């Protein structure tokens, strides 16, 4: 079956602009995770959703970052007023349930470059 | 907070040989899970192998096996009969057992594995 998909694959934007990154999880997966991968910080966990709710948003780097999930499926990560330090690969993962035992399946990521 | 350390930024091995990638972690938890993920140039993270901390037996998946030393907080990955397709970044990851599973994965910095033909 189809895996996790993310769009766009690559995004170049100018400093100060807003960007939206999209994640389509595997059908039926209720848990969804966002990670950021950058040269300086490595892989960082940002936020997770169980269904449409995100109980803990403390992993988001700043208040310029927000995420939502609708219909228990597609999720959007929005970065407002982008800064050069936001340049990174943003990875999305999903799993059947949020239990620790469940494997997370990753998408190919969105590479964001802020000029 | 949990930390995961991979001390080898890069490793090189001849095709068909065996290579071991190191990983250590720091946690105060007694129940947790450990993972090795592979990330080829396509960027897609692929699960290689996982280990439940409560299991004493080391996990194996075909040519991949781990050496899990809970007391030493060590979790190394052994790749036998290395193949060209094994070339990738390898990440060690930790996830604590929190019942509801709310936490994401904590990753190490990664090891770049090169396979010499």
């Amino acid at each position: 079956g189809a895996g996790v998909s993310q769009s766009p694959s690559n995004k170049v934007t100018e400093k100060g602009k807003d960007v939206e990154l999209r994640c389509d999880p595997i059908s039926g997966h209720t848990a969804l995770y966002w990670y950021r991968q950058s040269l300086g910080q490595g892989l960082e966990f940002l936020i997770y959703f169980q269904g449409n709710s995100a109980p803990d948003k403390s992993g988001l780097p700043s208040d310029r970052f927000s995420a939502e999930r609708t219909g228990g499926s597609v999720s959007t990560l929005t970065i407002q007023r982008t800064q050069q330090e936001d340049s990174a690969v943003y990875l999305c993962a999903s799993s059947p349930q949020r239990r620790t035992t469940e494997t997370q399946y990753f998408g190919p990521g969105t590479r964001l470059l802020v000029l | 907070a949990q930390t995961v350390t991979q001390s080898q930024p890069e490793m090189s091995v001849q095709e068909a040989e065996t290579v071991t990638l190191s990983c250590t972690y720091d946690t105060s938890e007694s129940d947790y899970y450990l993972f090795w993920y592979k990330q080829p140039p396509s960027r897609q993270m692929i699960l290689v192998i996982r280990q439940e901390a409560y299991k004493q037996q080391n996990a194996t998946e075909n040519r991949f096996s781990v050496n899990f030393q809970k007391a030493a907080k060590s979790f190394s990955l052994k790749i036998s009969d290395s193949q060209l397709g094994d070339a990738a970044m390898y990440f060690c990851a930790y996830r604590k057992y929190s019942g509801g599973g709310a936490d994401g994965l904590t990753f190490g910095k990664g090891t770049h594995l090169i396979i010499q033909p």
Side-chain angles (χ1 to χ4, degrees):
Chain A
V4 178
S5 62
Q6 293 186 246
S7 61
S9 179
N10 296 281
K11 176 72 176 179
V12 181
T13 190
E14 294 179 348
K15 178 181 173 181
K17 295 285 181 67
D18 297 351
V19 295
E20 283 190 354
L21 312 179
R22 176 188 169 105
C23 172
D24 276 281
I26 293 172
S27 178
H29 281 195
T30 58
L32 185 147
Y33 303 81
W34 282 99
Y35 294 84
R36 179 170 72 173
Q37 185 175 22
S38 60
L39 284 175
Q41 300 298 321
L43 275 151
E44 307 169 87
F45 167 62
L46 299 179
I47 192 170
Y48 95 100
F49 288 87
Q50 177 58 32
N52 290 335
S53 65
D56 183 3
K57 301 180 180 179
S58 62
L60 294 174
S62 75
D63 58 9
R64 296 184 295 103
F65 286 71
S66 63
E68 66 175 14
R69 189 180 185 193
T70 56
S73 181
V74 172
S75 177
T76 302
L77 179 68
T78 301
I79 309 173
Q80 295 178 309
R81 306 181 303 282
T82 52
Q83 303 294 312
Q84 289 181 332
E85 61 262 29
D86 299 333
S87 296
V89 174
Y90 290 82
L91 294 167
C92 175
S94 71
S95 66
Q97 297 182 49
R98 67 174 182 167
R99 293 180 308 182
T100 308
T101 51
E102 296 290 350
T103 295
Q104 294 182 26
Y105 297 88
F106 283 81
T110 294
R111 184 182 298 278
L112 175 66
L113 178 61
V114 182
L115 300 176
Chain B
Q2 302 87 6
T3 58
V4 177
T5 302
Q6 294 179 249
S7 59
Q8 305 152 317
E10 186 172 281
M11 291 284 284
S12 182
V13 64
Q14 292 285 334
E15 194 176 2
E17 296 291 306
T18 296
V19 64
T20 298
L21 308 184
S22 301
C23 172
T24 58
Y25 57 95
D26 187 24
T27 182
S28 57
E29 304 286 334
S30 58
D31 291 327
Y32 50 87
Y33 295 80
L34 296 165
F35 307 83
W36 278 99
Y37 277 90
K38 167 185 176 181
Q39 187 180 40
S42 67
R43 295 199 307 244
Q44 187 133 16
M45 300 282 279
I46 302 165
L47 179 66
V48 175
I49 198 166
R50 55 178 280 165
Q51 174 82 40
E52 291 85 351
Y54 64 85
K55 290 186 177 179
Q56 293 186 347
Q57 186 172 9
N58 289 324
T60 62
E61 287 288 343
N62 301 312
R63 297 183 295 107
F64 299 88
S65 61
V66 298
N67 183 3
F68 173 48
Q69 302 289 329
K70 190 173 184 180
K73 296 180 182 175
S74 171
F75 182 61
S76 62
L77 174 69
K78 186 172 81 170
I79 305 174
S80 303
D81 185 25
S82 298
Q83 300 176 1
L84 294 177
D86 295 334
M89 284 292 291
Y90 285 80
F91 291 93
C92 180
Y94 165 100
R95 187 180 186 189
K96 73 178 183 180
Y97 180 75
S98 55
D103 299 86
L105 296 164
T106 300
F107 287 91
K109 295 290 188 185
T111 296
H112 182 210
L113 179 63
I114 298 168
I115 310 295
Q116 304 279 5

